[in-house]
Amino acid sequence: MWGENTISGVSGPIGGGKISRVYDGSQADYIVKDKAQLIAALKVANYGDIIFMPKNTIIDWSNEAAQGISIDIPAGVSLVGSRGVDPDDQIALITTYKYKNEYAVIRLDEERSTVAGFRLEGPEKYPYKDLKKIIENNVSLGIASSGKNNLVLNMIIRYFSREAVRTEGNGTDLVVSHSDLSSYRFITGIFSFNSTNRRTFYLIEIS
């Protein structure tokens, strides 16, 4: 992750594998096991802090999604799960709310923020053949980044009608690595560059 007090570097297979020692939670600044704890940690976390979701943490963000509330990752903060450390790990942020307006579950609007090591699932679990419903619900996004030097690492992102990951506004230098991304957007794709800044790029190693 970014920052002096966080850990960088990846190893293991694409889309999984043990990617750093932080994933056992021993170096986490905050350990969150439910939505209330996550919200509280995001309010007080400072640059360089790690918010850790341990094994079997499932957080349902549907009520917040219905209100248009995203998970805003502060500058320099890492939201991390232990995906890949244990094959049986189940760590996820999910929403089942059918969005009416364009909405991203996670927003990276600051600099050097990280999301890593968990599953992010949206509400669009239609069969791929049901293109009409997919087009009608073309509003849900996994992660939107308008900040600088952000990182998406070792994630599973699926069941969104638009992109799994998207850059916006003046967002620059977003890195996506070691992740399993899928999207129902046959037309716009799994990820897209909607940033006005030409320095935007992805370093992508996905499965």
Side-chain angles (χ1 to χ4, degrees):
M1 272 60 76
W2 302 114
E4 181 180 353
N5 297 321
T6 56
I7 300 169
S8 62
V10 295
S11 62
I14 294 173
K18 186 173 183 179
I19 65 173
S20 92
R21 56 196 171 95
V22 73
Y23 286 83
D24 61 6
S26 62
Q27 296 191 25
D29 299 281
Y30 304 94
I31 296 177
V32 299
K33 299 181 180 180
D34 57 36
K35 183 169 61 179
Q37 291 177 348
L38 173 61
I39 292 171
L42 288 168
K43 287 180 178 179
V44 298
N46 296 312
Y47 197 100
D49 284 349
I50 298 171
I51 301 173
F52 178 74
M53 296 186 293
K55 180 177 179 178
N56 298 325
T57 298
I58 308 292
I59 296 176
D60 188 338
W61 198 253
S62 300
N63 289 338
E64 285 67 28
Q67 301 173 62
I69 300 171
S70 298
I71 298 170
D72 297 314
I73 308 299
V77 171
S78 299
L79 177 60
V80 181
S82 58
R83 177 178 178 251
V85 175
D86 182 336
D88 295 326
D89 273 6
Q90 296 294 323
I91 311 100
L93 282 167
I94 63 172
T95 175
T96 57
Y97 177 73
K98 301 287 186 179
Y99 315 121
K100 296 178 175 61
N101 301 301
E102 190 168 277
Y103 168 84
V105 179
I106 294 176
R107 296 205 59 89
L108 305 175
D109 294 327
E110 304 294 337
E111 64 175 11
R112 296 187 178 274
S113 303
T114 298
V115 291
F118 60 92
R119 192 171 74 249
L120 178 62
E121 291 189 353
E124 311 296 348
K125 295 186 179 182
Y126 303 121
Y128 277 93
K129 65 181 180 180
D130 201 342
L131 184 59
K132 184 174 184 294
K133 283 186 177 180
I134 295 168
I135 292 174
E136 288 174 350
N137 291 281
N138 185 24
V139 292
S140 63
L141 297 159
I143 297 174
S145 176
S146 66
K148 299 179 180 180
N149 300 310
N150 293 317
L151 175 63
V152 176
L153 173 66
N154 192 32
M155 294 285 291
I156 296 176
I157 306 175
R158 60 191 180 187
Y159 304 144
F160 293 96
S161 58
R162 287 194 65 83
E163 300 90 340
V165 179
R166 184 172 77 180
T167 59
E168 297 178 342
N170 293 317
T172 62
D173 303 348
L174 172 67
V175 176
V176 182
S177 180
H178 283 67
S179 293
D180 183 348
L181 310 182
S182 62
S183 172
Y184 286 105
R185 283 288 80 208
F186 311 124
I187 299 171
T188 60
I190 293 172
F191 40 80
S192 70
F193 310 102
N194 288 348
S195 172
T196 57
N197 193 313
R198 293 299 181 186
R199 287 187 61 241
T200 298
F201 67 92
Y202 287 73
L203 299 180
I204 301 171
E205 190 172 15
I206 62 174
S207 61

